[in-house]
């Protein structure tokens, strides 16, 4: 922090929410041309790329979204050609989600946008400040 800056105590939740909304706007604008919209669709795609064969229920639980948001995002990603549903051989009522070749090809582009977003957020931090920020956010993470 610059010594000339005056500290102004603000609600932590509001600051985190503002940062999150700003990042969502940036990613929605950047990824929109690729057919990936808002609502955290990139989070679902990234999770499916990292764990092919996951279920919607697992996505909902792991990403902390509600079931309706998960269902809507999965449907939109499927319609955009990024994922496909396959019937679970162990439970014919359930579907497993897999990335398509289009998603696998897009993966480096997605990662570049995510990396760029993180770089923008931390551009005024030293490496030590960034490390400390991550540690502090991990420390206060709420798991409900």
């Amino acid at each position: 922090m610059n010594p000339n800056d005056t500290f102004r105590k603000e609600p932590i939740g509001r600051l985190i929410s503002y940062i999150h909304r700003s990042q969502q706007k940036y990613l929605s604008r950047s990824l929109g041309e690729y057919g990936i919209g808002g609502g955290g669709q990139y989070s679902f795609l990234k999770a499916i790329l990292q764990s092919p064969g996951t279920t919607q229920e697992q996505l909902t639980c792991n990403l902390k979204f509600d079931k309706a948001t998960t269902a809507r995002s999965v449907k939109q990603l499927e319609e955009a050609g990024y994922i496909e549903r396959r019937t679970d051989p162990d439970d014919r009522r359930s579907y497993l989600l897999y990335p398509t070749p289009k998603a696998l090809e897009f993966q480096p582009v997605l990662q570049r946008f995510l990396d760029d977003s993180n770089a923008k957020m931390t551009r005024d931090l030293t490496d030590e400040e960034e490390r400390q920020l991550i540690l502090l956010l991990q420390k206060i993470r709420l798991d409900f």
Side-chain angles (χ1 to χ4, degrees):
M1 178 181 264
N2 184 334
N4 296 327
D5 292 342
T6 55
F7 177 75
R8 183 178 54 159
K9 187 170 181 167
E10 294 185 60
I12 294 169
R14 184 183 326 156
L15 291 169
I16 291 171
S17 179
Y18 174 79
I19 293 166
H20 176 71
R21 285 192 317 273
S22 296
Q23 182 192 38
Q24 292 300 308
K25 284 181 184 179
Y26 166 75
L27 290 171
S28 290
R29 276 193 317 270
S30 301
L31 298 173
E33 69 181 86
Y34 298 95
I36 297 175
Q41 283 184 24
Y42 70 89
S43 298
F44 293 100
L45 180 56
K46 185 164 174 67
I48 294 165
L49 284 161
Q50 291 175 332
S51 297
T54 192
T55 65
Q56 278 188 213
E57 185 66 33
Q58 289 168 324
L59 286 175
T60 297
C61 185
N62 293 343
L63 297 177
K64 308 287 190 239
F65 281 94
D66 60 75
K67 288 182 180 184
T69 299
T70 302
R72 188 170 41 254
S73 292
V74 165
K75 181 180 179 194
Q76 290 167 339
L77 287 169
E78 184 178 30
E79 288 173 354
Y82 287 103
I83 64 169
E84 64 181 0
R85 298 173 203 238
R86 298 182 196 162
T87 304
D88 184 343
D90 297 327
D91 180 358
R92 309 294 287 165
R93 297 168 295 156
S94 183
Y95 292 96
L96 304 176
L97 305 172
Y98 290 91
T100 62
K102 178 180 179 178
L104 295 171
E105 183 179 315
F106 180 67
Q107 188 171 14
V109 175
L110 174 60
Q111 192 58 54
R112 196 166 47 251
F113 281 118
L114 295 173
D115 292 343
D116 185 52
S117 174
N118 279 327
K120 286 179 186 313
M121 282 191 284
T122 60
R123 69 180 169 258
D124 294 330
L125 301 178
T126 65
D127 289 344
E128 180 54 31
E129 287 171 331
E130 181 179 354
R131 183 179 126 5
Q132 188 65 29
L133 175 62
I134 291 167
L135 289 171
L136 290 170
L137 290 171
Q138 289 171 339
K139 190 173 183 177
I140 67 169
R141 180 184 359 206
L142 300 176
D143 289 322
F144 291 101

